[in-house]
Amino acid sequence: MITMDNIIREGHPTLRKVAKEVPLPASVEDRKTLENLLEYVKNSQDPEIAEKYGLRPGIGLAAPQINISKRMIAVHLRDENDELYSYALFNPKIISHSVKKSYLTSGEGCLSVDRIVPGYVPRYAKITVKGTTLDGEEITVKLKGLPAICFQHEIDHLNGVMFYDHINEENPFDEPENGVKIER
């Protein structure tokens, strides 16, 4: 089971590397890693388990965050309509995106960042992601709102990008032009 002790923090070199593609079909080891990523995100949202193991709540986790530089992410969250988005993907890739931007009014956080970083993180309002599931099925998912933001945050980890790299240093609360505000 992954705990906060397994999650590396900002400053660790793995967080700035471009992660390697996972050879498919995935090895037993890679499948187990991806299963563990999803398990962490689910456990971290369960108040009893989170308290017992000292887990910070998260809605997504990428393999580089546990010091495995491979293209794997897990996401587990509900959108504003209470629809569940629960995915564990090998080699996820954004294959299309909107011109329009969106951002979380509360800003973004990260399990690998132990501090509050104030500012808006502009993201694409809508994206389409292609990836391979634990069952080896290639899927395409269309996303908007919080799920789209979460996927972009996790895919950034695969490319060595941290969420605060997107914040405007001169004006951290600069709203993207015609940006869609996402409340969380």
Side-chain angles (χ1 to χ4, degrees), residues 18-178:
V18 174
K20 292 180 170 48
E21 289 270 316
V22 177
L24 299 174
S27 67
V28 172
E29 185 184 350
D30 286 342
R31 284 178 49 86
K32 187 71 186 145
T33 298
L34 187 51
E35 286 167 3
N36 288 340
L37 292 173
L38 186 59
E39 179 191 51
Y40 176 90
V41 183
K42 288 178 176 178
N43 286 345
S44 79
Q45 293 176 33
D46 179 310
E48 281 180 28
I49 297 173
E51 187 177 340
K52 182 177 179 182
Y53 296 103
L55 308 179
R56 264 179 51 201
I59 57 174
L61 190 62
Q65 291 179 271
I66 58 166
N67 202 18
I68 295 174
S69 192
K70 291 184 175 182
R71 301 185 83 77
M72 296 183 243
I73 66 167
V75 168
H76 186 79
L77 73 147
R78 292 186 179 277
D79 69 6
E80 69 280 1
N81 301 317
D82 207 36
E83 186 177 330
L84 180 64
Y85 289 78
S86 189
Y87 291 95
L89 295 175
F90 295 110
N91 305 323
K93 194 180 264 138
I94 297 171
I95 55 171
S96 68
H97 61 79
S98 62
V99 172
K100 195 176 196 105
K101 300 281 182 143
S102 67
Y103 61 96
L104 283 176
T105 54
S106 58
E108 289 184 26
C110 179
L111 293 168
S112 293
V113 178
D114 291 332
R115 61 192 172 99
I116 304 287
V117 182
Y120 296 144
V121 181
R123 302 283 188 186
Y124 298 117
K126 294 180 180 175
I127 59 170
T128 303
V129 174
K130 188 182 261 185
T132 303
T133 66
L134 278 163
D135 299 327
E137 180 190 356
E138 193 172 279
I139 62 166
T140 302
V141 194
K142 290 184 183 300
L143 304 154
K144 65 182 174 53
L146 183 60
I149 288 172
C150 181
F151 267 81
Q152 288 171 83
H153 179 114
E154 298 313 325
I155 290 171
D156 269 357
H157 277 303
L158 306 181
N159 296 317
V161 176
M162 300 295 281
F163 75 92
Y164 48 73
D165 297 343
H166 296 289
I167 296 173
N168 179 337
E169 279 184 35
E170 317 281 293
N171 182 1
F173 292 97
D174 186 28
E175 296 183 20
E177 200 173 316
N178 301 317

